[in-house]
Every structure is written in structure tokens, then in C-alpha cells.
Amino acid sequence: MLVFSFIILAVVGIDQASKAWIVAHFALYESVEVIPGLFNLTHLTNNGAAFGMLAGQPALWRQVFFIVAAGIALVCIWIAQRSFSPRSRAYTVALALIAGGAIGNLIDRIRWGFVVDFLDFYLGQSHWPAFNVADSAITVGVALFIGYNLLFDRQ
């Protein structure tokens, strides 16, 4: 449980610190090219889910939905942690990354009503939707969980 808690706190800390830095140093929609033709830091907000889904829904409905969904997800992660972690530390790491990311984005939604995004990858004119550290932790955690399950733990 110590590793699980440490990873969650690290993800939340890095996520919130990076978002605070972006908000403090960039105007909304301001962009700085970091790697020409590949990566910018761009201050954006997302009041929807992944890729802006549900962004057009009424604000109160959207906020309640995301807060309840995050709460349910965190309870499920806690239950999964108790079930899967004894089988492998990979599950502990994966679930902690997912939980940390969910908490990081939940803090934004409660605090501001939207999520701060700033990692902007692109090739030419084709941009991947901007994301943040919490989104990255969730993605890596899900990939690790599924990958470990498919490759090593077929029970």
C-alpha cells in the first residue's frame, strides 16, 4: 500500500505543479514551440472529457457527471488494488497511475470547472488533442495494466 500511495501522491503532485506553472506563466491559448514540428507547450482548458467529449453539455450536469464518475472510478480502483496487487507489483503501479491521474483531473474540475491541458504534440498541421500529466498517467497505467494482463497474467 505504501508504493501505491506514493505513486498516487507523486502523480497528483507533478500534475498539479505542472498545471500551476502553465497557468502562472502562459496566457490562455498562448503557445511556445519546444521541438519544432513536433511539440508545443500550449495553455488550453477542457471542460469535457477525453478529446472534448461532452464539452457542449450544460455545465452543472457535466460537473456532477464527471465528479460522480471519478468517485466511482476511484472506488473501483481501490477494490481492484486489493484484488490484483498481491499478484504483481505491475498492477499496483498501473492502478496507482490511473488513480493519481483521475485525482489530478478531479482536482481541476472541482477547483475550476475544467481541466488544464498543455502538452501539444503534432506533425505538420495535424495535432493530437492537447493533454496533461494526469492524462498521461492514466494512459500509461491502463496500457501497463492491459499489457501485463495479456502478456503475463492470463488467469
Side-chain angles (χ1 to χ4, degrees):
M1 201 55 135
L2 185 62
V3 171
F4 184 72
S5 299
F6 175 79
I7 293 170
I8 290 173
L9 290 174
V11 169
V12 171
I14 294 167
D15 176 66
Q16 290 298 299
S18 63
K19 290 172 180 174
W21 187 85
I22 289 293
V23 169
H25 292 91
F26 284 68
L28 187 58
Y29 307 116
E30 181 179 355
S31 186
V32 172
E33 188 175 57
V34 177
I35 301 173
L38 182 64
F39 175 62
N40 294 340
L41 288 176
T42 304
H43 180 185
L44 299 168
T45 61
N46 179 2
N47 60 10
F51 311 116
M53 292 185 299
L54 303 179
Q57 298 302 314
L60 179 60
W61 180 90
R62 195 177 52 240
Q63 282 301 95
V64 169
F65 174 80
F66 287 131
I67 291 170
V68 169
I72 291 169
L74 289 168
V75 168
C76 291
I77 290 167
W78 181 74
I79 292 167
Q81 157 65 8
R82 297 187 69 197
S83 298
F84 285 97
S85 292
R87 290 160 62 179
S88 171
R89 188 162 292 228
Y91 287 128
T92 297
V93 172
L95 292 167
L97 288 169
I98 297 166
I103 293 167
N105 282 339
L106 179 61
I107 290 169
D108 284 11
R109 290 192 188 285
I110 291 170
R111 186 173 176 194
W112 294 314
F114 55 80
V115 172
V116 173
D117 289 327
F118 58 91
L119 301 170
D120 177 22
F121 285 89
Y122 61 96
L123 284 173
Q125 297 300 315
S126 299
H127 284 249
W128 183 257
F131 57 97
N132 57 47
V133 172
D135 298 334
S136 300
I138 292 168
T139 302
V140 170
V142 168
L144 177 60
F145 188 93
I146 292 170
Y148 187 83
N149 190 273
L150 291 175
L151 296 174
F152 301 108
D153 190 9
R154 296 194 155 222
Q155 295 179 15

